[in-house]
Amino acid sequence: QDHPVESGGDSVQAGGSLRLSCVASEYGFGPDCVGWFRQAAGKNREGVATIFVSDGESYYSDFAKDRFTISRDNRKSTVYLEMTDLKPEDTGIYYCGIAVVEGYVCTPSAVGDFGYWGPGTQVTVTS
């Protein structure tokens, strides 16, 4: 399975919005799960949102629930992360990953169940 490729990261002011894209050429067959994760400098990677590409069922971390939206377009093999009301603490590298562990849990907290990480896209939010 190919690694996904992220794009859409940028430098924005607090309160701004961004839409990240994750293109994964070989997903969409069966109940695969794709997730967005982020890693700030000096911190561990943390989950943001996950989605089942088969039916669109999605899950969010608490900090993302009211501001971020994950969605997918299976015709384009793409998963999006729409981010609004961005805050400086949202700064980091955002990664797309595919659930690969047998019996995976498709939730943002299950970081260890994901792999095939993309190279990431940088999001910087300035105050």
Side-chain angles (χ1 to χ4, degrees), residues 82-119:
E82 191 82 35
M83 304 187 293
T84 63
D85 190 23
L86 283 162
K87 306 175 187 301
E89 52 264 41
D90 294 319
T91 294
I93 301 175
Y94 282 68
Y95 298 93
C96 180
I98 298 173
V100 295
V101 173
E102 186 175 347
Y104 62 78
V105 177
C106 188
T107 62
S109 62
V111 179
D113 287 359
F114 288 78
Y116 288 104
W117 299 104

Side-chain angles (χ1 to χ4, degrees), residues 48-60:
V48 179
T50 55
I51 189 167
F52 279 110
V53 297
S54 57
D55 63 7
E57 186 173 359
S58 57
Y59 305 88
Y60 295 88

Side-chain angles (χ1 to χ4, degrees), residues 3-5 7 19-29 34 53 71-80 96:
H3 289 248
V5 177
S7 63
R19 187 175 82 157
L20 307 182
S21 299
C22 166
V23 179
S25 62
E26 294 189 24
Y27 89 99
F29 300 98
V34 179
V53 297
S71 62
R72 91 283 190 225
D73 184 340
N74 290 352
R75 296 169 302 171
K76 298 181 179 179
S77 296
T78 301
V79 172
Y80 302 99
C96 180

